[in-house]
Amino acid sequence: MTSTHAFWLAGRQATGETSFDVTSPWDGRLVGRVSIPTEAQVEEAVAAAHASVEAFSATPAHVRAAALDHVSRRLAERTEEIAQLISAENGKPIKWARGEVGRAVSVFRFAAEEARRFNGGEAQRLDTDAGGQGRLALTRRFPKGVVLGIAPFNFPLNLCAHKVAPAIAVGAPIILKPAPATPISALLLGELLAETELPEGSWSVLPVENDKMPALVQDERLPVISFTGSDKVGYAIMDSVPRKHCTLELGGNGAAVVLGDWASEEDLDWAATRIATFSNYQGGQSCIGVQRVIADAAVYDRLLPKIVAAVEAQVTGDPSDAKTDVGPLVSEDAAKRVESWVDEAVAAGATLVTGGSREGASYAPTVLTELPAGTTLAREEVFGPVLSVQKVDGEAAAFAAVNDSKYGLQTGVFTHDVQAAFRAHRALEVGGVVVGDVPSYRADQMPYGGAKASGVGREGVRYAMDDYTYERVLVLTGLAL
């Protein structure tokens, strides 16, 4: 008999009156049963978080840092167990799941380090003007209030870490709402938080049903919302609460640009391998996965067959097998959507070079060329293992092709030309430019976020800490400066 996973209400375990099943997208087996909080329990969690704002903000830095260090260590100690859980509930190949746990270990460690440095204050002499004689301004940052963190399914541990760790680091209470498809990883994170000495009420992990979220979003006691997910949902949240602070990490259709100077066999082999890997890792379910390749005509004819060969070499199958590169999508419905988009593109004139087949929740790694501009696949984020390759003439045309998108998250530019790298940094309408690699590179301590429909605000531990806080100035008078 399967036991039911409790949720975490104001730092303690609790169960509701109903539950739901979490099943593996690979084989449909039951991964776990998760208890759903009642409306009264959600209210209790919100009230507790709101009541803890002042006390948590005043918690000594060493207490918050110690809690973060503890979670980092415990994640490392339980890496294999947690990776197996991520793989089971998400369908992520085990090698990528292990990598995700490693990243979460780093996120909590980075947050512990930042908690010790944070809020030393910046002193500013005001006697640069006669009216400020004898005055000094000290500026520090303070939490805006309780954070509502809404996490997606594709990184069920690490993207929860990116909500929780910065909040703890600054002393902001947080209510974490994990994705319905993958809540158990977040509940395990709650288990580790419960081992710390964080103040009562300062955190909750609530697997609330999606249709109950509007009330939480609207609650005035939750002034900060950190959301990762689709642009449609993210902007609907922002539009519904225009006076709240929203950080939105939304979609993308990441481009990898291969310029004409990236021309040796070694260069093209590297680009093809990286493109194939990161258009398909996690079933293509990454907002900075490679969806578009924009190749200079000088290298296109040599690059395309290398990409196709590298894509066809991706090992598909059981996500629990360490040899598997590409597992299933999160659900059969997700795979059917990808299938329909590819079929639409082919019917409109795209050339299917490889792939294009579905079995259950799995979709074969796919490469298309001559993708018509008006198709859904050309305009939207596919969130599946599908790649289009486009030929352009020159750098200007390549950069224009990148910008011909409503999204602007990250772009990879394969070039040896430092001047071209700086031109890309200036010209590309994205949140990040990665030179010599795919757009899928992310270091968890760097600023991460997008432009246009890819969102607002930045994650990355220190940058999220800034997002969760505001500056408050203290003016001291009558000083002998």
Side-chain angles (χ1 to χ4, degrees):
M1 183 174 180
T2 301
S3 61
T4 299
H5 293 271
F7 51 85
W8 294 92
L9 193 167
R12 71 180 191 278
Q13 284 191 308
T15 55
E17 298 169 353
T18 58
S19 62
F20 65 94
D21 291 342
V22 177
T23 58
S24 165
W26 169 247
D27 56 14
R29 67 183 172 89
L30 180 65
V31 178
R33 187 163 291 127
V34 173
S35 184
I36 302 172
T38 65
E39 290 185 12
Q41 288 170 320
V42 172
E43 167 59 28
E44 183 181 349
V46 173
H50 181 65
S52 74
V53 168
E54 184 175 347
F56 195 23
S57 177
T59 302
H62 72 86
V63 173
R64 289 178 271 119
L68 293 161
D69 273 330
H70 175 85
V71 174
S72 179
R73 286 193 303 271
R74 295 287 284 137
L75 287 170
E77 291 168 0
R78 298 176 66 176
T79 291
E80 189 59 26
E81 171 196 354
I82 299 170
Q84 294 286 349
L85 172 59
I86 291 171
S87 183
E89 69 173 347
N90 174 277
K92 182 176 298 193
I94 188 64
K95 68 178 183 179
W96 296 116
R98 289 172 181 144
E100 179 174 349
V101 180
R103 289 180 62 185
V105 169
S106 296
V107 167
F108 277 93
R109 187 182 73 250
F110 295 150
E113 295 165 356
E114 292 293 347
R116 293 183 174 97
R117 287 191 288 261
F118 184 70
N119 223 355
E122 178 183 347
Q124 180 183 17
R125 293 180 66 133
L126 301 180
D127 63 354
T128 52
D129 183 83
Q133 187 166 333
R135 296 180 187 266
L136 182 78
L138 179 66
T139 303
R140 298 162 62 201
R141 301 190 71 90
F142 293 86
K144 294 172 179 173
V146 183
V147 177
L148 174 60
I150 307 172
F153 70 82
N154 57 328
F155 287 88
L157 177 68
N158 196 44
L159 290 182
C160 289
H162 272 286
K163 311 296 182 192
V164 172
I168 293 173
V170 301
I174 181 164
I175 291 177
L176 176 67
K177 190 270 187 194
T182 57
I184 304 177
S185 299
L187 296 174
L188 192 149
L189 179 59
E191 181 182 330
L192 305 186
L193 289 168
E195 297 171 353
T196 71
E197 297 181 3
L198 292 172
E200 181 179 349
S202 61
W203 62 273
S204 293
V205 182
L206 303 179
V208 178
E209 296 165 296
N210 283 346
D211 61 359
K212 299 293 193 299
M213 283 306 296
L216 267 178
V217 167
Q218 293 287 337
D219 197 306
E220 293 182 357
R221 294 168 295 178
L222 309 176
V224 179
I225 297 174
S226 178
F227 171 86
T228 301
S230 72
D231 59 310
K232 179 180 179 181
V233 175
Y235 284 115
I237 288 173
M238 177 176 277
D239 290 344
S240 72
V241 284
R243 291 181 177 154
K244 287 194 178 190
H245 179 88
C246 294
T247 297
L248 305 180
E249 300 299 334
L250 307 178
N253 55 0
V257 174
V258 184
L259 294 180
D261 70 300
W262 197 269
S264 72
E265 291 302 311
E266 183 180 6
D267 283 344
L268 296 178
D269 286 342
W270 163 257
T273 299
R274 298 292 284 177
I275 287 165
T277 297
F278 289 98
S279 63
N280 292 290
Y281 82 126
Q282 305 179 155
Q285 297 167 122
S286 170
C287 50
I288 47 175
V290 185
Q291 183 171 331
R292 299 181 290 157
V293 176
I294 299 165
D296 192 282
V299 298
Y300 177 90
D301 290 338
R302 293 162 57 214
L303 177 63
L304 178 60
K306 291 178 182 288
I307 291 174
V308 173
V311 167
E312 291 177 343
Q314 295 287 299
V315 177
T316 62
D318 187 344
S320 67
D321 188 336
K323 296 179 182 178
T324 298
D325 299 310
V326 187
L329 276 71
V330 72
S331 68
E332 186 169 359
D333 284 345
K336 287 179 177 178
R337 177 190 55 76
V338 172
E339 179 181 43
S340 70
W341 288 14
V342 172
D343 289 348
E344 176 204 27
V346 172
T351 298
L352 178 65
V353 181
T354 190
S357 62
R358 180 183 66 82
E359 184 176 348
S362 297
Y363 195 81
T366 297
V367 178
L368 300 162
T369 59
E370 300 171 340
L371 179 64
T375 57
T376 306
L377 195 57
R379 298 192 315 270
E380 301 294 337
E381 177 181 39
V382 65
F383 229 57
V386 179
L387 179 69
S388 67
V389 187
Q390 173 184 358
K391 182 192 296 186
V392 295
D393 289 316
E395 177 187 300
F399 293 172
V402 172
N403 289 339
D404 185 20
S405 170
K406 71 176 183 178
Y407 296 110
L409 193 46
Q410 291 196 163
T411 297
V413 179
F414 290 89
T415 183
H416 297 291
D417 185 342
V418 174
Q419 294 292 348
F422 275 89
R423 287 193 295 270
H425 198 205
R426 180 180 300 109
L428 298 179
E429 299 165 354
V430 295
V433 178
V434 183
V435 176
D437 206 350
V438 290
S440 317
Y441 176 79
R442 178 185 180 184
D444 291 289
Q445 70 271 42
M446 77 184 197
Y448 175 76
K452 300 192 285 190
S454 289
V456 295
R458 291 294 180 267
E459 288 193 342
V461 175
R462 181 170 67 81
Y463 303 91
M465 290 167 68
D466 285 346
D467 237 18
Y468 292 171
T469 56
Y470 69 99
E471 294 174 319
R472 186 187 297 166
V473 65
L474 173 69
V475 177
L476 301 174
T477 305
L479 302 179
L481 296 175

